[in-house]
Amino acid sequence: MATNKPILLGWEKGIPSDIISDFSSVLNELSIPYLAEEREQRIYNASEFYIPTLVGIFIASNFFGGIFKEAGKDAYVALKNGIVRLAKNSSLLPVKIIKAGEYKVPDTSDYSRVFSIYSETVSGTKIKFIFPGKASDAEYFDMIDAMLKILEEHHQGVKNNFLAEMIPDRRSLQLLRYHKRSWELWKPL
């Protein structure tokens, strides 16, 4: 997803505006340039975790080269807290599952069908971070902190970093889930 803005916030029509405006306010207060896009509601025909979530954030590589380095510790914590609120508030939204056949998609899932964070590797492989459907503020904070550290190390060229080791150099979307207190490559099929 090419953007010159370090953060892209996307959501499907019908999402309560206060959920989106709260996160937008955080980005504005921190002077983080971003692009906000509302998408039309639609039905997708794909494996559920490859489908765009109702609310998603795309963190571009240029976030880690400039703003991430310039942000002081307080700004970094404020950004993480803003993402935590967005994840938490999004997790409260109802989701309607439409099945094509019996037993194809379970009605419940341990992972959110509403909120996710996207990024890409330095080689252009797209990645999607999938979060648990329900978590405490502290758990979301730990997940987001770990995710940002993984992305920072990767985009700053730290040798033997998690993404370079775990993500195959492919053009297909790669899923990462938070499982047992750490991020891991996930193949749900």
Side-chain angles (χ1 to χ4, degrees), residues 167-185:
I167 302 291
D169 189 13
R170 297 188 184 143
R171 295 294 168 219
S172 62
L173 179 66
Q174 300 295 303
L175 303 176
L176 293 165
R177 70 174 175 170
Y178 198 78
H179 184 69
K180 296 183 180 179
R181 302 183 56 88
S182 64
W183 288 101
E184 67 180 15
L185 185 63

Side-chain angles (χ1 to χ4, degrees), residues 50-176:
Y50 291 93
I51 294 171
T53 49
L54 298 178
V55 177
I57 301 171
F58 178 82
I59 301 176
S61 60
N62 61 354
F63 177 80
F64 298 98
I67 291 172
F68 193 82
K69 285 182 179 178
E70 294 169 15
K73 185 177 180 180
D74 292 341
Y76 180 64
V77 171
L79 175 62
K80 286 191 287 187
N81 284 328
I83 296 172
V84 166
R85 283 196 312 273
L86 182 62
K88 186 99 171 165
N89 292 337
S90 297
S91 73
L92 301 174
L93 297 172
V95 176
K96 182 176 183 176
I97 303 298
I98 300 171
K99 299 179 189 182
E102 192 173 1
Y103 307 114
K104 292 202 177 201
V105 177
D107 289 337
T108 60
S109 173
D110 292 338
Y111 296 97
S112 177
R113 293 173 168 138
V114 179
F115 176 78
S116 60
I117 296 180
Y118 300 82
S119 195
E120 61 187 11
T121 64
V122 293
S123 65
T125 300
K126 293 172 182 24
I127 51 179
K128 179 180 180 181
F129 291 88
I130 301 196
F131 292 82
K134 302 280 185 223
S136 69
D137 288 1
E139 290 168 323
Y140 277 124
F141 193 87
D142 289 346
M143 288 180 246
I144 291 161
D145 186 54
M147 179 205 65
L148 288 171
K149 286 178 182 171
I150 287 168
L151 289 169
E152 177 189 21
E153 286 179 355
H154 181 71
H155 288 287
Q156 292 183 353
V158 173
K159 291 200 182 282
N160 303 319
N161 67 75
F162 175 83
L163 290 180
E165 299 279 323
M166 296 299 293
I167 302 291
D169 189 13
R170 297 188 184 143
R171 295 294 168 219
S172 62
L173 179 66
Q174 300 295 303
L175 303 176
L176 293 165

